Amino acid sequence: MENLTKTEVDYAMAKERVNQIRKFYVSLAVFIIVFAIYSGRKYYKAGEVNYLDFNNVSVIFWIWGLILAIRAVKIFFFNHDWERKMMDRELNK
């Protein structure tokens, strides 16, 4: 295994975090575009769209939205200090 400096480890962790955030934003953008197309189509056919009625919005969007919400919490709200401590501990061995 390579001997990495703290700067190299910090850079690798930052790069991975930025990559996760980028993937999340791409997924969110795709969700918004597909949901807008779906909603526009429903509005064009029925004349109204009720987002709070579970039966009027596809289950796929509810599941997709839940997955995006879980990913957002994982990326933005969980503390990465634990991961950093474990990496430092492994690197010091």
Side-chain angles (χ1 to χ4, degrees):
M1 187 168 167
E2 299 177 30
N3 289 332
L4 300 174
T5 65
K6 183 168 176 26
T7 306
E8 292 171 334
V9 171
D10 289 342
Y11 177 78
M13 289 179 71
K15 185 176 179 180
E16 177 62 29
R17 179 148 170 83
V18 167
N19 191 28
Q20 288 176 349
I21 292 171
R22 182 187 58 81
K23 286 180 182 179
F24 170 75
Y25 283 135
V26 168
S27 299
L28 183 62
V30 169
F31 175 79
I32 290 170
I33 291 168
V34 171
F35 191 71
I37 292 169
Y38 174 81
S39 297
R41 185 171 162 258
K42 276 192 88 102
Y43 181 75
Y44 180 73
K45 285 185 172 184
E48 69 176 356
V49 177
N50 185 1
Y51 296 112
L52 299 178
D53 185 8
F54 187 75
N55 294 328
N56 284 339
V57 178
S58 176
V59 174
I60 293 170
F61 288 113
W62 285 98
I63 294 170
W64 194 358
L66 181 64
I67 290 170
L68 283 174
I70 291 169
R71 285 182 64 194
V73 168
K74 180 182 172 189
I75 290 172
F76 296 112
F77 296 112
F78 280 152
N79 194 349
H80 290 282
D81 288 339
W82 176 83
E83 185 177 331
R84 177 177 295 284
K85 288 177 187 176
M86 291 303 290
M87 289 292 292
D88 288 342
R89 187 182 310 164
E90 289 298 318
L91 289 172
N92 288 334
K93 285 186 177 182

